[in-house]
């Protein structure tokens, strides 16, 4: 199989669309989380630790901005938690969808042509009537 054939097969599976939707939704959600951290959580930290209102007070030492690092950690934890819950929900929905699908019917057992009773696969005589099975 050539490289282009593999690429076409990859696109046809729908993985590309799922990935594109994930990137777009992830980007939009990142903006929401950044706003939450910058506009709500950081001011609360500033209020608790003291500061001038433009930076997370008390956490900036000689150019090392621990406030920005803490903000990045908070962003990551919030996004990771939401992604975990979304993946868990999608997996649960897929499992429910697979459970709802009817199982494939097993192949019907062979039937004796004489008495029409079921016989085991590969039997040469019927156990019910003794008739020969071709």
């Amino acid at each position: 199989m050539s490289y282009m054939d593999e690429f076409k097969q990859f696109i046809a599976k729908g993985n590309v669309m799922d990935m594109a939707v994930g990137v777009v939704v992830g980007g939009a959600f990142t903006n929401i989380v950044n706003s939450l951290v910058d506009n709500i959580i950081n001011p609360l930290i500033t209020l608790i630790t003291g500061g001038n209102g433009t930076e997370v007070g008390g956490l900036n030492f000689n150019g090392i901005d621990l406030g920005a690092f803490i903000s990045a950690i908070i962003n990551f934890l919030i996004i990771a938690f939401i992604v975990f819950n979304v993946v868990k929900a999608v997996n649960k929905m897929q499992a429910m969808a697979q459970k709802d699908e009817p199982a494939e019917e097993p192949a019907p057992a062979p039937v004796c042509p004489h008495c029409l009773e079921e016989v085991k696969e590969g039997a040469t005589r019927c156990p019910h009537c003794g008739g020969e099975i071709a």
Side-chain angles (χ1 to χ4, degrees):
M1 181 177 278
S2 73
Y3 185 79
M4 287 306 291
D5 290 337
E6 288 181 47
F7 182 68
K8 289 176 187 176
Q9 187 178 22
F10 173 74
I11 290 174
K13 286 183 181 177
N15 293 342
V16 173
M17 187 59 71
D18 294 342
M19 185 173 57
V21 169
V23 168
V24 170
V25 170
F29 187 73
T30 299
N31 289 335
I32 293 170
V33 171
N34 286 336
S35 177
L36 171 71
V37 171
D38 293 341
N39 300 320
I40 296 174
I41 295 175
N42 281 351
L44 289 174
I45 295 173
T46 301
L47 182 65
I48 293 169
T49 62
N52 61 8
T54 60
E55 61 185 34
V56 178
L59 299 175
N60 194 346
F61 306 103
N62 296 329
I64 298 173
D65 192 0
L66 291 178
F69 181 68
I70 291 172
S71 295
I73 291 172
I74 292 170
N75 284 354
F76 171 77
L77 291 175
I78 292 171
I79 291 171
F81 179 72
I82 297 300
V83 168
F84 169 76
N85 285 316
V86 168
V87 168
K88 190 171 181 169
V90 167
N91 288 342
K92 188 174 183 178
M93 288 189 320
Q94 286 177 342
M96 288 172 51
Q98 288 176 351
K99 185 187 279 187
D100 291 342
E101 291 178 3
E104 289 186 21
E105 299 267 338
V111 176
C112 172
H114 307 289
C115 65
L116 303 178
E117 291 289 333
E118 289 185 8
V119 294
K120 290 185 180 180
E121 187 74 37
T124 57
R125 290 207 173 262
C126 176
H128 305 286
C129 69
E132 281 192 42
I133 300 175

